[in-house]
Amino acid sequence: VQLQASGGGLVQAGGSLRLSCAASGRAFSSYGMGWFRQAPGKDREFVAFISWSGGNGYYEESVKGRFAISRDNAKNTVYLQMNSLKPEDTAVYYCARRIGWRSSPGDYRDLNGYDSWGQGTLVTVSS
């Protein structure tokens, strides 16, 4: 599977962006999807996860109530709506496909649990 992330850009603090991640290939609807981010000089970290069956997402504590993950299986796309953005949200954002066909969420925060990654899209939040 190939993943193509888009939607990043420059936004002022308090603003919003919606990231998209389009997946090629079949069976998109049978895999959980995650968003991660990597700020300059820092390790890549978990942001949000949505299971293959959809429903409520799982979030990193600092983005709860501000970010929302969703998916449109008809379009093979997962989204990350980001509201009330803060300068500390500045990072390259990556989408990734969880290992395992129709698997349970498991340790969705673990990067090693994902087998396909998009190229990343840069989000810059100015103060």
Side-chain angles (χ1 to χ4, degrees):
V1 65
Q2 289 188 327
L3 303 175
Q4 180 75 35
S6 61
L10 174 64
V11 63
Q12 288 188 332
S16 298
L17 283 174
R18 189 177 79 156
L19 306 184
S20 299
C21 174
S24 64
R26 295 179 287 180
F28 169 81
S29 62
S30 294
Y31 289 88
M33 297 294 296
W35 285 98
F36 291 76
R37 66 187 179 186
Q38 188 166 17
K42 295 188 176 181
D43 293 334
R44 193 170 299 188
E45 66 175 5
F46 167 77
V47 176
F49 172 80
I50 188 167
S51 70
W52 66 271
S53 57
N56 295 330
Y58 301 79
Y59 299 94
E60 193 271 328
E61 195 63 33
S62 69
V63 308
K64 281 182 180 178
R66 299 190 298 122
F67 290 12
I69 189 170
S70 62
R71 63 190 301 156
D72 184 339
N73 290 334
K75 296 182 178 179
N76 276 17
T77 301
V78 63
Y79 303 98
L80 185 68
Q81 177 67 43
M82 306 187 296
N83 300 324
S84 303
L85 282 161
K86 303 176 181 181
E88 51 264 43
D89 294 318
T90 294
V92 177
Y93 283 71
Y94 299 88
C95 58
R97 190 184 77 169
R98 185 110 176 99
I99 291 172
W101 187 83
R102 295 192 177 183
S103 62
S104 62
D107 187 3
Y108 51 82
R109 298 172 180 271
D110 184 0
L111 280 72
N112 294 316
Y114 296 80
D115 61 357
S116 298
W117 291 81
Q119 86 288 2
T121 184
L122 176 62
V123 172
T124 303
V125 184
S126 63
S127 58

